[in-house]
Amino acid sequence: MSTAVVANSMSADEYLAWEELQEEKHEYVHGEIFAMGGARREHVLVSLNIASALKQHLRGTPCRAYMSDMKLRVATMDTFFYPDVIVSCNQKDHQAEQYLSFPTLIVEVLSDSTEAYDRGAKFTAYRQLAELKEFVLVDIKTRSVECFRRTADNDWLLHVYTDEDVCDFVSLDVSIEMKDIFEQQ
């Protein structure tokens, strides 16, 4: 996460109004605003590969894939994030204008500058989302995918994909070949 860019704290509503006027994206955490740095080429390609494959597989279902320009609100944590890929199957999200609130799956593509934050504070916030069933971390350097899946007991079970031919997104009943996830990067 980057350094806060606004000295004074602002409310969530003030942030939403302010963010619409900005050229760059900013995340909101408990009243503080954080500038988001630009992503590297391979980060963008892997995000696009996953979003494109999910969009293709989800045609004709109530689920939709969204890319990193769509905000995600975690109201209980007073935060707004820009995940790399979000899938929501909730009609309320499909009518939302500024942000989603009911994701089924969230994907974060790791980078050196955000890895610790994505694995720590961000995952802590995401776990507060009642409808979230799967949280996915993609590591380009190791060409691995970590899928954290919510169990019936509200625990999180980890499955790591490395050399497997196929990565299963169980929450959506979708499988994507690992070669397609890392294509062109």
Side-chain angles (χ1 to χ4, degrees):
M1 178 179 261
S2 302
T3 308
V5 297
V6 176
N8 298 325
S9 184
M10 64 171 73
S11 71
D13 288 337
E14 290 169 329
Y15 159 76
L16 289 170
W18 176 83
E19 179 72 354
E20 285 208 4
L21 303 174
Q22 306 308 304
E23 290 183 24
E24 297 163 350
K25 296 186 294 191
H26 302 82
E27 291 187 337
Y28 173 89
V29 180
H30 311 295
E32 290 188 83
I33 310 301
F34 296 88
M36 296 191 60
R40 297 174 56 98
R41 179 191 58 81
E42 47 279 319
H43 184 114
V44 173
L45 283 172
V46 168
S47 299
L48 179 61
N49 290 344
I50 293 169
S52 298
L54 289 172
K55 182 180 186 314
Q56 182 93 11
H57 286 288
L58 295 173
R59 272 202 179 97
T61 75
C63 301
R64 292 187 188 158
Y66 298 88
M67 288 288 295
S68 60
D69 281 339
M70 181 55 100
K71 285 185 284 301
L72 173 69
R73 181 178 190 194
V74 184
T76 59
M77 299 292 285
D78 191 28
T79 59
F80 289 89
F81 298 111
Y82 283 95
D84 292 311
V85 179
I86 308 170
V87 174
S88 178
C89 304
N90 189 300
Q91 191 60 35
K92 292 178 193 172
D93 276 344
H94 303 330
Q95 297 170 356
E97 292 296 320
Q98 289 185 298
Y99 57 84
L100 305 178
S101 298
F102 307 101
T104 299
L105 176 136
I106 297 172
V107 177
E108 294 285 4
V109 178
L110 300 175
S111 65
D112 291 340
S113 63
T114 65
E115 181 173 0
Y117 186 64
D118 289 346
R119 291 182 180 282
K122 204 177 256 192
F123 187 27
T124 298
Y126 290 163
R127 288 194 307 263
Q128 304 306 307
L129 296 162
E131 291 198 22
L132 183 65
K133 294 179 180 153
E134 203 161 8
F135 174 58
V136 178
L137 293 170
V138 180
D139 190 331
I140 295 171
K141 290 183 293 189
T142 63
R143 294 179 65 92
S144 64
V145 177
E146 299 173 21
C147 293
F148 293 88
R149 298 180 183 123
R150 190 186 302 261
T151 68
D153 295 328
N154 206 31
D155 292 324
W156 290 86
L157 181 64
L158 169 63
H159 187 94
V160 179
Y161 297 93
T162 52
D163 295 328
E164 287 95 351
D165 291 334
V166 175
C167 177
D168 296 317
F169 298 97
V170 174
S171 63
L172 303 170
D173 194 28
V174 170
S175 297
I176 303 173
E177 292 189 34
M178 291 290 282
K179 69 177 183 61
D180 293 338
I181 290 173
F182 295 103
E183 180 184 17
Q184 296 181 341
Q185 63 85 34

